[in-house]
Amino acid sequence: MAKRKSSTFSQGADSTPGLIHMPSFDHLLPRPTKRRASQRKQNHLPPKPTSTNPDINAEVLDGPEALRASPDAEEKDETLDVDKIEGGIATHIKDEEDTVPSLVTSGESESSLSDMSDVEPPLNNKPQTAKSRKTLKIPSQMGMAQKLPSTGPTKKVESKEPQFLDPEADGEEEADEEEIQAALSRPPPVHSDYLPLPWKGRLGYACLCTYLRFSNPPVFSSRTCRIASILENRHPLKNPDEPPHATKNRPDRDQPANIARGQAFVESLGVANAKDIVKMLRWNDRYGIKFLRLSSEMFPFASHEEYGYKLAPFASEALAEAGKVAGELGHRLTTHPGQYTQLGSPRKSVIDNALRDLEYHSELLSLLKLPPQQDRDAVMILHLGGVFGDKEATLERFRENYKRLSPEIKKRLVLENDDVSWSVHELLPLCEELNIPMVLDFHHNNIIFDSEHIREGTKDIMDLYPRILATWKRKNITPKMHYSEPTPAAITGRQRRKHNPRVATLPPCPPDMDLMIEAKDKEQAVFELMRVFKLPGFDTFNDMLPHIRKDDNKPVKVPKKKTPRKKKAKKDDDNALEEAEEALEAEEEEFVQVIIPEEEVGMGGPEGRVYWPPGMEDWLRPVKKVVKKREPADRGKPLTPAQKRKAAAAATESAVKLEADVNEDCEVDAAAVATPTPAKKAKVTPKSSVKNAAAPKKIARSVQTPSTSDDEASEVAPLSEDKIAPVAKKPRAAPARQSARAKKISYVEEDGES
């Protein structure tokens, strides 16, 4: 007899009296799966190369700041409408706090995301209104703003476009009547009539070339991603032998994560961005543009406290190649850290984030390995930031934090006047004191200026040119200025902060100035100035064909060739087969365009068709085919051959269906006539009900249907009297009582009977 197994309860029982022992359920838990040797090796294999094309990989996003006219621009109407042009390609960005809620907690997380949430709300001189108290925007480290209610639980916010907010801007409420009246009553601006012609300087744009961005494949240097994508790509693919796919082959979260694998994913985006700089520089050089601002989002999250990383050595080669091309072509490269990189903030976490961000930008520019003068000209433009209630205290904090900067950062750092807090008259003395070059922004100066010294406009500010230019000459750096214009409908100062898609004129700057055009249309705004003032390079480009590009390697559909109809050849004709083959070859539906060399893809072709008129950004993408139903008003128009064939087929089908229905009805009627209905046995009814018996139904007589055509009636020969069939008499009503053996009556007319 087999030995009985001891129970789990008895095995775990203790001999100590007075204790209640619970049974163990460990045997019910699933055993840990043993990993095979091949599976362990797969975790250490290098990741499969992922596509960095945002049209293919949904995890690759457009850097929101690169789409804007300027990093410090207003959040509305300041981005190129990528969704509109691409026709549904997803480029929406959610806040990291919403995507990865575990990374940000209230007061517990040490990441920079939570540190940036400690930034003080804007200190406004105006009292808060009910609308401004209702919602408070708190900036995050990546330049986004998260809407949080002032009271109550935190709600998740999903925004279609990335949210930006200036830390010193007022609430998001619309301008009230008093503000509008005050803006309308301000003195008119006084502009200079001087034009810097003939132009000898360099015109530039910021971060993104719209024509190359919508090329095939796209060329741009601001690919970014979400933190959630980095965390997800730490896991191996479900099928490591296959390339990654958005739906069919995604990372398997059930398998252990590897930090190096996620780091390789984000580094691949940065390397792709750096390699595309070479294409952008050569494109700019072909059309006379020799000044470019590099995107701060070239290497996603490089300055992040938790997910940050150094650019060397993985990006050294790509950046050195870009710097080599820039040096050969004589182009100037600069950067502009975001508006939340502030050295005057009272928050230590904000200062720490700013220092990391400046170190990242400094390393990026250093790895370009530019020639000496171009390396000195590769500066980092920075705003002084908020005032935090006390301008003097903010200036003093900036001085103290500036001393902490490395020499590499100090030699590249320049300050720019802004359109919220700091005017030229407040910033210039600080730059002269600390030996920092100052960037004059004409657009900002028309909004924030010292009314005791100058008037609004471009004329009075020219008196400060010698002092401004002297700050550059001390460090032997080529001066640069910024120019943009407000939208025509802007009235208040806050509304005038929004940049116009293009500019109408040149500012009264020195003719050899490096001028950065901060406009929504990027390189197209530079082209506009070239055309208006016939600047060098204006004859290198032409208008692009709407929705058509001839500089991409892709199949192009062409209409079928119309071949004349030939008569059928005789059977003994030897050339019949050859003619049929030639006719088939002439009706090819699709052909592959001549292969364009890689260096010429997206370059505009030999005619330089890269300019699109204002408001015509839809020309950058192929037109969508919309099937439009024929309106009743259009029925009088002549039909195309395809429409005629379709209408004829529909008419034939309806006629066949109608004929089938008629034949079916006729067969049913003939069957009913040929089969007589048997007489039913009469029921015996009482005499009292005989009088009330219903009369039999009337029987319709068969009458020949006359022809509707008069011609047909005239052709019919008249019948003789003896051949005319008499009209059937109306049968009499049958009596109520009728024998069941009554004679059956047939109403079918026979020929010759009367």
Side-chain angles (χ1 to χ4, degrees):
M1 183 176 179
K3 185 177 180 181
R4 184 177 180 181
K5 295 183 180 180
S6 59
S7 64
T8 309
F9 180 81
S10 61
Q11 290 178 359
D14 194 357
S15 59
T16 306
L19 295 179
I20 301 177
H21 300 280
M22 297 299 296
S24 174
F25 297 97
D26 294 341
H27 65 289
L28 300 178
L29 297 177
R31 296 182 179 180
T33 57
K34 295 182 179 180
R35 296 193 307 172
R36 299 178 180 176
S38 59
Q39 190 177 15
R40 290 195 298 269
K41 292 180 180 180
Q42 289 177 359
N43 293 336
H44 298 285
L45 292 177
K48 292 287 182 178
T50 58
S51 174
T52 58
N53 188 345
D55 298 344
I56 300 175
N57 190 352
E59 293 182 349
V60 181
L61 309 173
D62 284 275
E65 289 191 4
L67 300 176
R68 301 164 62 79
S70 175
D72 55 313
E74 189 67 16
E75 64 177 290
K76 295 181 181 179
D77 302 331
E78 285 297 330
T79 59
L80 189 69
D81 196 349
V82 178
D83 290 340
K84 174 184 176 184
I85 299 175
E86 291 190 348
I89 297 177
T91 57
H92 306 321
I93 299 179
K94 297 181 181 179
D95 292 343
E96 291 82 5
E97 295 88 338
D98 298 335
T99 310
V100 192
S102 61
L103 296 179
V104 179
T105 55
S106 58
E108 297 178 0
S109 176
E110 296 296 332
S111 67
S112 58
L113 295 177
S114 60
D115 292 341
M116 287 306 299
S117 64
D118 295 335
V119 176
E120 290 182 352
L123 299 176
N124 304 326
N125 296 329
K126 297 181 181 181
Q128 283 189 333
T129 60
K131 190 172 183 179
S132 63
R133 286 194 301 267
K134 184 178 180 181
T135 305
L136 176 64
K137 284 192 174 182
I138 300 179
S140 66
Q141 192 239 358
M142 297 312 298
M144 304 178 185
Q146 182 185 14
K147 288 186 177 181
L148 297 176
S150 56
T151 57
T154 303
K155 296 181 180 180
K156 180 178 178 180
V157 179
E158 294 184 2
S159 56
K160 183 177 181 180
E161 292 293 338
Q163 301 294 318
F164 291 84
L165 178 69
D166 195 296
E168 291 300 312
D170 292 339
E172 292 296 325
E173 68 271 8
E174 297 180 358
D176 53 16
E177 186 176 355
E178 295 180 1
E179 187 179 1
I180 295 177
Q181 292 299 328
L184 293 174
S185 62
R186 76 179 192 273
V190 181
H191 295 293
S192 173
D193 57 355
Y194 170 76
L195 286 175
L197 299 176
W199 180 256
K200 301 177 182 179
R202 293 178 287 194
L203 293 177
Y205 63 92
C207 304
L208 180 79
C209 177
T210 63
Y211 186 86
L212 288 177
R213 170 59 185 86
F214 298 104
S215 181
N216 186 22
V219 177
F220 65 114
S221 61
S222 54
R223 298 171 182 85
T224 186
C225 64
R226 304 180 180 92
I227 290 181
S229 298
I230 301 176
L231 300 179
E232 184 178 15
N233 280 274
R234 291 179 176 180
H235 301 272
L237 296 175
K238 292 184 178 179
N239 189 353
D241 299 332
E242 297 293 333
H245 191 272
T247 56
K248 299 179 181 178
N249 194 19
R250 293 187 60 83
D252 189 0
R253 296 190 178 185
D254 295 335
Q255 300 186 30
N258 189 347
I259 296 178
R261 188 181 289 107
Q263 184 63 27
F265 165 74
V266 71
E267 289 178 358
S268 66
L269 299 181
V271 172
N273 290 333
K275 289 182 178 180
D276 279 355
I277 297 176
V278 176
K279 187 82 169 185
M280 296 172 66
L281 291 174
R282 297 194 182 280
W283 192 94
N284 290 344
D285 190 72
R286 175 171 294 191
Y287 300 107
I289 301 176
K290 296 181 178 295
F291 187 12
L292 176 66
R293 177 188 296 167
L294 300 179
S295 173
S296 297
E297 297 164 316
M298 187 181 302
F299 295 93
F301 305 102
S303 62
H304 196 277
E305 182 181 17
E306 184 176 354
Y307 302 100
Y309 49 90
K310 292 292 183 181
L311 306 184
F314 77 92
S316 300
E317 183 179 354
L319 290 175
E321 179 63 23
K324 179 182 177 181
V325 175
E328 294 174 353
L329 302 178
H331 288 207
R332 183 174 188 175
L333 301 176
T334 61
T335 59
H336 194 332
Q339 56 182 321
Y340 297 109
T341 303
Q342 303 182 24
L343 294 177
S345 173
R347 297 281 183 176
K348 181 181 180 301
S349 58
V350 177
I351 300 300
D352 294 340
N353 294 335
L355 294 177
R356 286 197 311 273
D357 198 40
L358 293 176
E359 288 287 351
Y360 152 66
H361 285 84
S362 176
E363 183 185 11
L364 190 156
L365 295 175
S366 299
L367 290 177
L368 293 173
K369 306 297 181 183
L370 294 167
Q373 184 58 47
Q374 289 175 276
D375 186 58
R376 285 192 295 269
D377 294 343
V379 296
M380 302 183 298
I381 302 96
L382 189 67
H383 290 288
L384 190 57
V387 299
F388 304 101
D390 190 347
K391 285 191 174 183
E392 291 299 328
T394 301
L395 291 173
E396 186 60 31
R397 286 192 297 269
F398 181 87
R399 294 185 183 97
E400 293 297 326
N401 293 321
Y402 181 77
K403 298 177 183 179
R404 300 172 54 187
L405 301 179
S406 64
E408 187 68 22
I409 296 177
K410 287 183 178 180
K411 79 174 187 178
R412 299 188 186 278
L413 187 66
V414 299
L415 292 179
E416 176 192 359
N417 61 306
D418 60 65
D419 54 0
V420 178
S421 305
W422 300 96
S423 66
V424 175
H425 285 84
E426 294 170 323
L427 206 60
L428 186 56
L430 179 67
C431 293
E432 294 172 336
E433 174 189 349
L434 300 178
N435 194 20
I436 302 175
M438 178 187 162
V439 178
L440 172 62
D441 190 303
F442 289 92
H443 176 59
H444 294 171
N445 181 70
N446 289 333
I447 300 175
I448 299 296
F449 59 92
D450 192 345
S451 59
E452 296 181 359
H453 296 85
I454 60 175
R455 296 168 293 180
E456 179 184 345
T458 59
K459 185 175 182 179
D460 293 352
I461 195 63
M462 296 177 67
D463 297 336
L464 295 177
Y465 280 3
R467 294 178 59 186
I468 295 174
L469 297 178
T471 61
W472 296 88
K473 293 178 181 179
R474 292 193 190 108
K475 289 190 172 183
N476 194 20
I477 302 176
T478 305
K480 69 185 294 286
M481 293 182 178
H482 295 174
Y483 184 70
S484 56
E485 294 175 356
T487 56
I491 299 176
T492 65
R494 188 169 171 76
Q495 293 172 345
R496 287 187 293 137
R497 293 178 59 199
K498 300 177 183 179
H499 294 66
N500 207 34
R502 302 189 186 186
V503 295
T505 186
L506 287 169
C509 61
D512 59 347
M513 181 62 61
D514 286 350
L515 188 63
M516 174 60 63
I517 304 300
E518 295 184 325
K520 168 190 171 184
D521 289 350
K522 307 294 183 178
E523 83 287 351
Q524 302 297 323
V526 177
F527 288 161
E528 202 73 35
L529 287 176
M530 288 182 175
R531 280 195 167 183
V532 172
F533 297 102
K534 300 297 184 291
L535 304 182
F538 78 95
D539 55 349
T540 59
F541 57 89
N542 293 293
D543 291 10
M544 64 180 299
L545 300 175
H547 313 290
I548 297 176
R549 293 200 180 199
K550 296 183 178 181
D551 55 358
D552 291 341
N553 287 323
K554 56 184 179 181
V556 180
K557 291 185 179 181
V558 295
K560 294 182 180 180
K561 295 182 180 180
K562 295 182 179 180
T563 55
R565 294 184 178 180
K566 298 181 180 180
K567 296 181 179 180
K568 294 183 179 180
K570 297 180 180 180
K571 293 183 179 180
D572 56 352
D573 192 353
D574 298 333
N575 299 329
L577 183 59
E578 296 179 1
E579 292 177 358
E581 291 177 355
E582 292 176 359
L584 291 175
E585 292 176 358
E587 295 184 355
E588 293 182 355
E589 296 184 2
E590 192 174 291
F591 74 100
V592 178
Q593 201 175 13
V594 178
I595 299 300
I596 300 174
E598 184 65 27
E599 60 273 10
E600 292 296 325
V601 173
M603 300 299 289
E607 298 176 344
R609 293 185 175 274
V610 295
Y611 171 83
W612 47 275
M616 297 300 175
E617 59 191 58
D618 289 342
W619 286 12
L620 294 169
R621 300 296 282 181
V623 64
K624 289 185 176 181
K625 293 183 179 180
V626 180
V627 180
K628 183 179 179 182
K629 294 184 179 180
R630 195 174 182 84
E631 300 291 339
D634 298 338
R635 291 178 180 174
K637 297 181 180 180
L639 298 176
T640 61
Q643 292 174 338
K644 290 180 180 179
R645 290 193 298 269
K646 187 175 181 180
T652 303
E653 183 180 357
S654 60
V656 171
K657 185 177 181 181
L658 179 62
E659 184 179 359
D661 294 342
V662 172
N663 294 338
E664 185 179 357
D665 294 342
C666 294
E667 292 175 0
V668 172
D669 295 342
V673 171
T675 305
T677 304
K680 296 181 180 180
K681 186 177 181 180
K683 296 181 181 181
V684 179
T685 56
K687 295 182 179 180
S688 59
S689 62
V690 173
K691 296 181 180 181
N692 298 331
K697 295 182 180 180
K698 298 181 180 180
I699 302 174
R701 30 178 203 173
S702 176
V703 183
Q704 186 178 1
T705 304
S707 175
T708 57
S709 174
D710 297 337
D711 298 336
E712 294 178 1
S714 61
E715 294 176 0
V716 177
L719 299 174
S720 58
E721 294 181 0
D722 56 347
K723 292 183 179 181
I724 297 176
V727 179
K729 296 182 180 179
K730 181 178 180 181
R732 296 180 181 179
R737 294 178 61 87
Q738 187 176 3
S739 172
R741 299 179 180 179
K743 183 180 180 181
K744 298 179 180 179
I745 303 174
S746 175
Y747 299 100
V748 180
E749 297 182 0
E750 298 179 1
D751 296 338
E753 288 187 9
S754 57

